[in-house]
Amino acid sequence: MIYVFDYATLKFIWWLFVGALLIGFAILDGFDLGVGALLPFVGRTDGERRLMIQSVGPTWEGNQVWFITAGGAIFAAWPLVYATAFSGFYVALMLTLFALFFRPVGFEYRSKLADPRWRKAWDWALFAGGAVPALIFGVAFGNLLQGVPFHFDADQRVFYTGSFIALLNPFALLAGAVSLGMLSMHGALYLQLRTEGALQERARRAALLCGLLFLAAFAVAGVWVAAALPAFRIVSMPGADSAFMPLAKTVERVGGGWLGNYARYPWTMVAPALAFGASLLALGFSRARRAGAAFVLSCLGVAGVILTAGFALFPFIMPSSSDPRSSLTIYDAVSSHRTLQIMFWVVLIFLPIVMSYTGWAYRVMRGTLRESSLDEGGKY
């Protein structure tokens, strides 16, 4: 097979693919999740909660496609990571999936009955559909930075040795708080942009509170990573043109290793600076009641957080923290040069088609819902 790119270049390209998809998901579906997480607290009356739901109703389905596409990209480029994640994180993923089920069902059935108890129950269901995934996504990243407890046997079968409770460790929960606070702030700023009056004012106050909690948790997590969280460093790996088995790559634990890329490439410091700077400016513009500028800056802050984690982890996809043969040697679930090359061309051909269709469907759906009347017995 003729390789247009070398292995290092292909790996970098696929990191860009997945990173762009995750940033798109965090920015676009992030405000949907944030609005859901704030629904029982910012909306005081049934009418206000209906307005909050209607603000994301035309777009949430299209926005969620970014998450599905990111999962497909991981399956295409790193099938071992996909298999390990879905088997090892099974309970967490199923919890996320069932929480996400509440959104379409809640949007469809909340206004079918006028009973306040019925609507209140669905409001809390929509809260779970926003808050639970936001929390678990952060917990997942926190566990990636610590290493996932799995190993391969001689036949390349994956053995996960952890548990769901073990995933809820202090650092992972802190990372979950970062994610939940960030997306709640993002959703509140979106509400401030799309609403007015008392609801807009409560959204502004919620954005300030969630933003300050997010920035505090992000700062503590950064200090924790720099000072106390062991990281990983590649010691040896097979040639890119060889049979690329995970057991042939050797990795060691080092203190402060997650800052290695920042020391090697100082320009990467733009990511945490963007996360802090843009988020602080967003809160400032929100306080000044300039909602449009605040929301744009919030988008930049969300991108900065994702990039901060990505720059630290690169080139690891899912490092292992357990190996039955050694307490010092760990491995990374990787893919071969050939796999990345083939799937690169598949994506290059089909991604523009999928993105064009998604954009067209988004416009049609948004226009249709704008024209439809949302009466008391209808949707939302």
Side-chain angles (χ1 to χ4, degrees):
M1 183 175 183
I2 298 175
Y3 294 113
V4 178
F5 300 107
D6 60 23
Y7 179 70
T9 303
L10 280 171
K11 186 163 56 176
F12 180 71
I13 289 172
W14 272 99
W15 265 83
L16 290 179
F17 279 157
V18 175
L21 290 169
L22 290 177
I23 289 173
F25 168 70
I27 290 176
L28 296 175
D29 201 42
F31 66 75
D32 295 338
L33 297 175
V35 169
L38 295 172
L39 183 63
F41 310 106
V42 174
R44 299 285 176 83
T45 66
D46 179 69
E48 289 180 345
R49 291 175 181 176
R50 282 170 58 84
L51 286 174
M52 292 175 67
I53 295 172
Q54 288 176 26
S55 71
V56 299
T59 59
W60 75 269
E61 288 179 294
N63 293 341
Q64 193 165 273
V65 171
W66 288 84
F67 178 57
I68 299 170
T69 308
I74 292 174
F75 173 75
W78 299 291
L80 286 176
V81 172
Y82 186 90
T84 305
F86 273 76
S87 59
F89 294 164
Y90 189 79
V91 175
L93 287 169
M94 291 303 294
L95 185 62
T96 303
L97 185 62
F98 279 100
L100 289 173
F101 285 167
F102 283 128
R103 292 207 292 175
V105 179
F107 290 159
E108 184 67 33
Y109 287 100
R110 181 188 182 275
S111 291
K112 294 298 184 182
L113 296 178
D115 188 343
R117 293 173 299 178
W118 170 269
R119 295 188 175 185
K120 186 175 182 180
W122 282 115
D123 289 340
W124 283 104
L126 289 170
F127 161 77
V132 172
L135 179 66
I136 291 180
F137 293 146
V139 169
F141 268 95
N143 280 283
L144 286 180
L145 288 167
Q146 296 175 92
V148 179
F150 73 92
H151 65 271
F152 295 93
D153 66 3
D155 297 321
Q156 300 299 297
R157 292 177 299 180
V158 178
F159 288 88
Y160 180 77
T161 58
S163 66
F164 175 71
I165 298 300
L167 296 176
L168 304 178
N169 55 77
F171 180 78
L173 289 174
L174 177 63
V178 171
S179 175
L180 180 58
M182 175 183 73
L183 297 183
S184 297
M185 176 195 74
H186 194 49
L189 292 174
Y190 177 78
L191 280 176
Q192 186 180 356
L193 178 65
R194 294 296 304 274
T195 59
E196 57 185 21
L199 180 59
Q200 183 184 57
E201 182 62 21
R202 284 196 295 275
R204 185 187 67 80
R205 293 199 297 267
L208 179 61
L209 176 61
C210 294
L212 293 177
L213 291 174
F214 148 62
L215 289 173
F218 188 58
V220 173
V223 173
W224 195 331
V225 167
L229 194 68
F232 308 98
R233 181 172 60 195
I234 296 174
V235 175
S236 64
M237 60 188 297
D241 56 349
S242 64
F244 214 86
M245 297 190 303
L247 296 180
K249 174 187 263 188
T250 306
V251 181
E252 66 177 359
R253 284 183 178 274
V254 292
W258 290 133
L259 301 183
N261 285 336
Y262 291 103
R264 194 176 301 112
Y265 308 106
W267 62 268
T268 55
M269 289 298 297
V270 70
L274 181 65
F276 273 107
S279 298
L280 283 172
L281 284 174
L283 296 179
F285 277 100
S286 172
R287 185 179 177 85
R289 292 171 173 77
R290 297 181 60 182
F295 182 71
V296 171
L297 287 164
S298 178
C299 293
L300 294 176
V302 169
V305 173
I306 303 297
L307 289 173
T308 299
F311 289 161
L313 277 167
F314 185 82
F316 292 100
I317 309 301
M318 181 179 283
S320 165
S321 61
S322 69
D323 179 9
R325 296 170 299 178
S326 170
S327 61
L328 300 176
T329 306
I330 55 178
Y331 302 99
D332 184 28
V334 294
S335 290
S336 67
H337 193 178
R338 179 183 177 85
T339 299
L340 295 182
Q341 176 76 13
I342 292 173
M343 296 314 301
F344 169 77
W345 290 111
V346 171
V347 169
L348 202 64
I349 293 170
F350 287 103
L351 184 61
I353 299 173
V354 174
M355 294 301 294
S356 298
Y357 174 77
T358 301
W360 173 79
Y362 177 87
R363 292 185 61 186
V364 170
M365 177 180 63
R366 187 180 180 90
T368 301
L369 287 175
R370 277 180 173 175
E371 293 172 2
S372 64
S373 60
L374 300 175
D375 58 28
E376 190 68 16
K379 204 172 185 181
Y380 312 135

